[in-house]
Amino acid sequence: LSAQGGEETITYTLENPVEGQSVVASANVDWISDFVYGEESVTFTVAANDTTEAREGVVTVAYTTLSFDVTVKQEGKTLEPELSVVAGATAEFEAAGGNGVVEYEVKNPVEGVELTATTEADWVGDVKVDADASKVTYLVAANEKSEARSAKLVLSYGELKQEVAISQKPFVKEGEPSINLKSAAVAEFKAEGGDGVVEYELVDAQEDLTVKVEASA
């Protein structure tokens, strides 16, 4: 049986039955139980195996002094793989760009499945996966525009996915005003919503300019 367990039926033939006697079944393990007797059959229930080890039990079917044994084998539970980002889940780069590193962990790996890392941003390149060191490296190109930019690096392991948020500050000419983000570049909220705060600093501010805030949603 599989690790999920379930019902199993033993069928038999009984010749020359003795009046007043009946078939009795028993098991030598507690995970086999609930015997139901039919016409020349015995049905029993095998509990789910919550361990990773396979197991074996014996069902004994007896009638007066006669008996036979049936061996019940059950597979162990297969643990599902897990993917998590240990370090580098968010990264902020200066306008000059630079190298980034993401450390990850795969629990209960599946043979033949390899981790991949991809991004749709053309300014994030040279993405490499080092499976032995459990890390992903990438290169952020210099930002020559006066606007900040952001991208996602997606780590995939089979059907599992983890996203890495990458942001980069804009290019600022010397002496021109600039605005820099001081708080986190990513804000996560629960379903019920709530208040958010963004902290920033102005460099070389000009009196005829004001800060404006816009939301894309």
Side-chain angles (χ1 to χ4, degrees):
L1 294 174
S2 66
Q4 286 77 15
E7 288 188 346
E8 185 69 19
T9 299
I10 300 171
T11 59
Y12 59 88
T13 57
L14 178 62
E15 299 178 1
N16 306 318
V18 179
E19 186 177 353
Q21 300 295 320
S22 59
V23 172
V24 177
S26 61
N28 67 338
V29 290
D30 58 4
W31 46 272
I32 299 177
S33 60
D34 299 335
F35 293 98
V36 178
Y37 302 95
E39 185 176 352
E40 295 192 333
S41 68
V42 177
T43 299
F44 56 91
T45 300
V46 176
N49 188 358
D50 292 328
T51 71
T52 58
E53 299 294 329
R55 59 187 181 182
E56 189 173 302
V58 175
V59 173
T60 300
V61 180
Y63 183 78
T64 63
T65 60
L66 308 174
S67 67
F68 62 81
D69 292 336
V70 174
T71 301
V72 179
K73 297 182 179 181
Q74 187 178 28
E75 298 176 350
K77 180 180 180 181
T78 301
L79 297 177
E80 296 296 328
E82 299 178 16
L83 172 63
S84 59
V85 175
V86 178
T90 60
E92 183 181 21
F93 290 83
E94 298 293 332
N99 295 304
V101 178
V102 179
E103 297 179 9
Y104 66 89
E105 181 181 21
V106 176
K107 294 182 179 179
N108 311 317
V110 179
E111 186 176 355
V113 179
E114 297 182 355
L115 183 131
T116 60
T118 58
T119 180
E120 295 182 355
D122 57 3
W123 49 275
V124 179
D126 198 22
V127 180
K128 297 179 180 178
V129 177
D130 186 345
D132 294 333
S134 297
K135 68 179 182 180
V136 176
T137 58
Y138 58 93
L139 176 64
V140 174
N143 188 1
E144 299 177 352
K145 298 181 180 181
S146 59
E147 297 178 352
R149 57 188 180 182
S150 60
K152 291 182 179 179
L153 182 67
V154 181
L155 276 59
S156 303
Y157 187 82
E159 298 297 324
L160 304 176
K161 296 183 183 299
Q162 288 287 341
E163 292 185 349
V164 173
I166 301 172
S167 61
Q168 188 178 26
K169 296 179 180 180
F171 172 73
V172 179
K173 293 182 180 179
E174 186 176 353
E176 290 188 358
S178 64
I179 183 170
N180 299 323
L181 183 66
K182 295 180 64 178
S183 56
V186 178
E188 296 186 2
F189 289 84
K190 295 182 178 180
E192 57 266 25
D195 295 328
V197 176
V198 177
E199 296 181 357
Y200 63 89
E201 64 176 353
L202 292 175
V203 179
D204 297 329
Q206 295 181 3
E207 292 184 1
D208 58 338
L209 297 178
T210 58
V211 175
K212 296 182 180 180
V213 181
E214 296 180 353
S216 61

